Amino acid sequence: MSEIRANITAVGMYVPEKRVTNHDLSRVLDTSDAWIRSRTGISERRIAGKDQANSDLSVRAIQDALEGTPHRPEDIDLIIVTTVTPDMMFPSTACRIQEKIGAANAWGFDLSGACSGFLFGLSTAAQFIRTGTHKKVLVVGTDVMSSIIDFEDRATCVLFGDGAGAVLLEPTEEEEVGILDSTLGCDGSGGKFLFMPAGGSHRPASHETVDKRMHYVHQDGRNVFKFAVRVMCDTSVGLLQRNGIPTDQLSLFVPHQANMRIIKSSMSRLKLAEDQVAVNIDRYANTTAATIPTCLAEAHRQGRLKKRDKVLMVSFGAGFTWGGILLGWGMDPP
Ligand code: COA
């Protein structure tokens, strides 16, 4: 009997209309376009409007994914929303999305994996598909980082942007299609290098926490950088070797988009050509859980992927967390 695997059968994305360039930031901060470009590869980012919450971005990404497909919101069984910037602490953003898109037959939950969230969500969704209990699962990687960034801290605010990406997973028994392998990890000892100090039960919100700017992203960039370079390479090499795939047979490498220098170090270790790598950090910056699904949506839309192409997605993030998923692409180009 052939194995049931989870296959991506629809993909979509949304980024807010408002563009903020490096030049825009350099007018209000002690920074420059040259510094941001050379240290990060970022040119601009999108920032959500005041009336746009996480679920609004997510709904647009889901609509983009389902448009032109036979799938209707009522067909969805489960919605997994991966984010660190939910609309509210509760109810979950998944519940709000479920209502907004009219997914009357779906249940759902939020999953917190920071920049590895989307791969954690995809792996979780894949289990529901493999067991045969669920047939159509939406996984949304979505973040409104502008809601937790200190725009007076030049070391962090230049790095992030807002966006959402969504995929639909369905079962397949076709050879070399769907999620072929994955590896996921976390190391809590890295928590002190990237975190939001207050707002949870550890440090509930108070006037003091607000005055001390504790509801923003705090980061030790150098330590995060070192960890990222190591784990991205090790995870990629490990997954490719385990599956006997030489890097020249990889159609698309989809790395988490946090810093172009981190992406370049993986490319050089894996000996990847530029046309094998998905990049959107230059236009959207680090959109946390949204970086990988927005890259997938763009690659699909641009016709860069055909059925059975090998795709390797790799992430790292706060926690520390990391993940890698090897995929046999399951769709024909649009
Ligand atoms: N504009 C101008 N100068 C800036 C700046 C900015 N936006 N941000 C920091 N600087 C300054 C620093 O204050 C420092 O000045 P000093 O030497 O006078 O103290 C100098 O630039 C160098 O800082 P440093 O932190 O060593 O730079 P870096 O080359 O390590 O780059 C990051 C900083 C944040 C870009 C880099 O460390 C990084 O990308 N880390 C990983 C972050 C990440 O991926 N986060 C998300 C994880 S999912």
Side-chain angles (χ1 to χ4, degrees):
M1 213 174 77
S2 54
E3 187 191 352
I4 298 175
R5 280 188 302 273
N7 181 30
I8 294 178
T9 56
V11 57
M13 63 172 283
Y14 173 75
V15 288
E17 280 72 34
K18 186 178 174 189
R19 285 170 203 267
V20 175
T21 65
N22 294 343
H23 289 293
D24 293 332
L25 290 177
S26 70
R27 280 186 214 108
V28 291
L29 274 174
D30 181 14
T31 190
S32 66
D33 176 56
W35 192 96
I36 302 170
R37 260 180 216 267
S38 63
R39 299 293 176 114
T40 70
I42 298 164
S43 299
E44 59 180 47
R45 68 286 293 138
R46 301 298 183 93
I47 300 294
K50 289 213 171 347
D51 57 346
Q52 284 183 308
N54 184 315
S55 61
D56 300 307
L57 272 58
S58 301
V59 166
R60 295 286 293 269
I62 293 167
Q63 287 168 342
D64 184 46
L66 299 186
E67 199 188 321
T69 74
H71 311 294
R72 296 166 307 150
E74 310 87 272
D75 302 333
I76 308 296
D77 301 316
L78 166 61
I79 304 169
I80 301 179
V81 178
T82 66
T83 188
V84 290
T85 52
D87 284 13
M88 304 174 203
M89 290 285 272
F90 69 91
S92 71
T93 302
C95 289
R96 289 168 63 81
I97 292 171
Q98 183 263 351
E99 193 217 346
K100 287 186 185 188
I101 65 171
N105 299 305
W107 67 289
F109 59 90
D110 292 1
L111 186 157
S112 171
C115 295
S116 301
F118 180 71
L119 297 192
F120 285 11
L122 215 50
S123 288
T124 306
Q127 310 305 324
F128 286 99
I129 299 274
R130 274 189 207 124
T131 56
T133 58
H134 292 63
K135 301 279 184 247
K136 291 184 200 293
V137 181
L138 274 177
V139 181
V140 192
T142 168
D143 269 301
V144 182
M145 293 305 289
S146 60
S147 65
I148 58 168
I149 281 167
D150 185 350
F151 278 97
E152 291 181 14
D153 175 9
R154 67 177 184 172
T156 54
C157 77
V158 302
L159 304 175
F160 295 97
D162 302 336
V167 298
L168 179 68
L169 286 181
E170 293 184 89
T172 184
E173 293 185 49
E174 283 189 79
E175 290 291 313
E176 293 177 63
V177 168
I179 293 180
L180 305 173
D181 197 5
S182 65
T183 174
L184 308 169
C186 73
D187 175 3
S189 70
K192 55 186 174 291
F193 299 124
L194 181 53
F195 65 118
M196 190 170 105
S201 58
H202 175 61
R203 290 296 290 271
S206 67
H207 287 292
E208 188 199 356
T209 61
V210 173
D211 290 344
K212 289 184 171 165
R213 309 183 84 76
M214 294 169 77
H215 298 266
Y216 293 125
V217 172
H218 288 240
Q219 163 171 275
D220 174 341
R222 280 184 200 180
N223 268 304
V224 176
F225 193 96
K226 278 190 261 172
F227 161 76
V229 166
R230 180 176 53 77
V231 82
M232 292 278 281
C233 290
D234 291 353
T235 304
S236 305
V237 170
L239 262 180
L240 290 174
Q241 281 181 353
R242 192 157 90 186
N243 290 276
I245 297 172
T247 49
D248 60 359
Q249 280 180 26
L250 199 58
S251 297
L252 197 66
F253 177 62
V254 188
H256 171 51
Q257 312 277 308
N259 187 315
M260 198 58 209
R261 290 187 291 145
I262 297 173
I263 296 172
K264 286 247 156 96
S265 80
S266 300
M267 286 170 65
S268 105
R269 167 106 181 259
L270 297 171
K271 298 192 174 51
L272 291 169
E274 275 184 22
D275 64 0
Q276 288 176 285
V277 183
V279 172
N280 66 20
I281 188 172
D282 50 331
R283 289 163 289 136
Y284 308 140
N286 181 350
T287 53
T288 302
T291 63
I292 290 178
T294 55
C295 279
L296 284 182
E298 289 188 329
H300 176 61
R301 190 178 298 166
Q302 291 159 3
R304 288 177 75 181
L305 290 167
K306 55 182 193 319
K307 202 160 181 180
R308 294 194 171 76
D309 273 355
K310 295 278 185 306
V311 177
L312 176 63
M313 303 173 278
V314 184
S315 68
F316 66 91
F320 287 135
T321 55
W322 64 92
I325 291 187
L326 184 67
L327 197 68
W329 191 248
M331 285 189 279
D332 292 319

